[in-house]
Amino acid sequence: MRLTIKIGSNVLTRMDGSLDVTRMSSLVDQIASLRKMGHEVILVSSGAVASGRGELKHIQGDLDSVDQRQLFSAVGQCKLINRYFEFFREYGISVGQVLTTKENFSDTEHYKNQKNCIRVMLENEVIPIVNENDTVSLTELMFTDNDELSGLMAEMTKSDMLIILSDIDGIFTGNPKDPNSRLISIVKPGKDLSEYIQTSSSKVGRGGMKSKSGVASKVASHGISVVIANGKREDILIKIMTDRDNTPCTEFLC
Ligand code: GLU
């Protein structure tokens, strides 16, 4: 299967804001196993701004939000891609960095060009590691978050499945911290989940369950099944692909 896998900032960041390289390494191990099983992977990874912020702790104070995003993403993206590059290299897997903007998904020429870039990478067995180019994205024209970007990528690449990894198991019937809340494991096409969705967004990334659920419904309605799961759970990607019925996650059927 062709899989678009999105890893959120909160999966890759420790409590103190630093990059969780142990987690990254474990996710890379899992992606390497998925490749061995014959799956093709497009990785959409957040974490640039969060890891740049962790790296530049000493200069937080006086920057406005645009300056912060540009500076932190510039530094953090280097760190992030370097780590991925080294971790995947241990498996003899080549990866390439794709930094993109919303424009590349809007008009036809840009769209074709972006699609061609991913095609040539996949054809040559290079894993695209995609992120928004936060250094040049204009605030008004940005992707809502990388959930939106991953949905667009899954559609552009005609993926069979989109897996969105966050730090929660999926969509619950109430606040996930409330013991009475239940994880919704299957979402049938057209099911409206708005009554269940918490509106708060993540502390370190831009997304939240509302955006994940919106993206997931849209992508599923275009024929691509979507799984939302907890990227901090051990071997989560393997379990999703081999034993989904016994794995905590929310699957949007298409
Ligand atoms: N592109 C941002 C980053 O790498 C993440 C955006 C999001 O949180 O969805 O930090």
Side-chain angles (χ1 to χ4, degrees), residues 39-85:
H39 300 296
E40 210 174 23
V41 173
I42 297 118
L43 183 58
V44 176
S45 179
S46 301
V49 173
S51 77
R53 182 175 283 121
E55 193 67 23
L56 299 175
K57 280 201 186 90
H58 51 292
I59 43 168
Q60 315 269 322
D62 330 317
L63 300 173
D64 67 29
S65 62
V66 174
D67 283 2
Q68 283 194 30
R69 192 180 70 235
Q70 294 185 323
L71 178 66
F72 295 158
S73 69
V75 173
Q77 181 67 26
C78 284
K79 217 176 140 182
L80 198 67
I81 205 72
N82 253 301
R83 290 288 189 174
Y84 276 127
F85 189 89

Side-chain angles (χ1 to χ4, degrees), residues 9 46-49 131 134 145-146 205-207:
S9 302
S46 301
V49 173
N131 195 359
D134 294 290
D145 47 45
N146 271 357
R206 296 207 298 275

Side-chain angles (χ1 to χ4, degrees), residues 191-205:
K191 169 86 180 142
D192 178 14
L193 293 176
S194 48
E195 63 173 304
Y196 302 130
I197 305 288
Q198 312 280 307
T199 46
S200 61
S201 79
S202 138
K203 279 197 222 72
V204 283

Side-chain angles (χ1 to χ4, degrees), residues 3-192:
L3 309 172
T4 294
I5 299 174
K6 186 255 172 175
I7 307 181
S9 302
N10 38 21
V11 177
L12 296 176
T13 315
R14 292 202 182 93
M15 295 283 267
D16 65 358
S18 61
L19 194 61
D20 189 342
V21 284
T22 316
R23 179 84 49 213
M24 256 184 117
S25 155
S26 146
L27 288 161
V28 168
D29 295 345
Q30 295 174 55
I31 292 171
S33 302
L34 293 179
R35 289 253 303 203
K36 269 213 185 109
M37 292 175 203
H39 300 296
E40 210 174 23
V41 173
I42 297 118
L43 183 58
V44 176
S45 179
S46 301
V49 173
S51 77
R53 182 175 283 121
E55 193 67 23
L56 299 175
K57 280 201 186 90
H58 51 292
I59 43 168
Q60 315 269 322
D62 330 317
L63 300 173
D64 67 29
S65 62
V66 174
D67 283 2
Q68 283 194 30
R69 192 180 70 235
Q70 294 185 323
L71 178 66
F72 295 158
S73 69
V75 173
Q77 181 67 26
C78 284
K79 217 176 140 182
L80 198 67
I81 205 72
N82 253 301
R83 290 288 189 174
Y84 276 127
F85 189 89
E86 295 301 338
F87 285 142
F88 276 110
R89 193 150 74 161
E90 285 177 31
Y91 287 98
I93 296 174
S94 301
V95 299
Q97 170 175 263
V98 178
L99 292 179
T100 191
T101 58
K102 202 159 183 175
E103 275 174 346
N104 292 324
F105 291 84
S106 43
D107 75 79
T108 319
E109 281 310 304
H110 282 95
Y111 189 87
K112 270 199 213 151
N113 194 33
Q114 180 72 86
K115 192 171 171 179
N116 191 62
C117 165
I118 305 291
R119 178 195 57 74
V120 74
M121 291 175 87
L122 293 177
E123 277 177 13
N124 289 285
E125 295 181 4
V126 173
I127 297 188
I129 304 186
V130 186
N131 195 359
E132 178 163 17
N133 190 348
D134 294 290
T135 63
V136 295
S137 292
L138 298 170
T139 308
E140 319 70 68
L141 296 178
M142 287 173 78
F143 297 104
T144 316
D145 47 45
N146 271 357
D147 299 324
E148 181 186 20
L149 169 57
S150 66
L152 293 168
M153 243 328 141
E155 288 177 13
M156 175 182 266
T157 56
K158 298 197 175 12
S159 291
D160 299 292
M161 184 181 280
L162 167 64
I163 301 176
I164 299 181
L165 296 181
S166 158
D167 60 353
I168 324 185
D169 288 329
I171 298 178
F172 285 78
T173 53
N175 186 332
K177 292 199 182 100
D178 180 347
N180 294 322
S181 300
R182 197 178 38 80
L183 180 66
I184 302 170
S185 23
I186 296 284
V187 180
K188 296 212 174 104
K191 169 86 180 142
D192 178 14

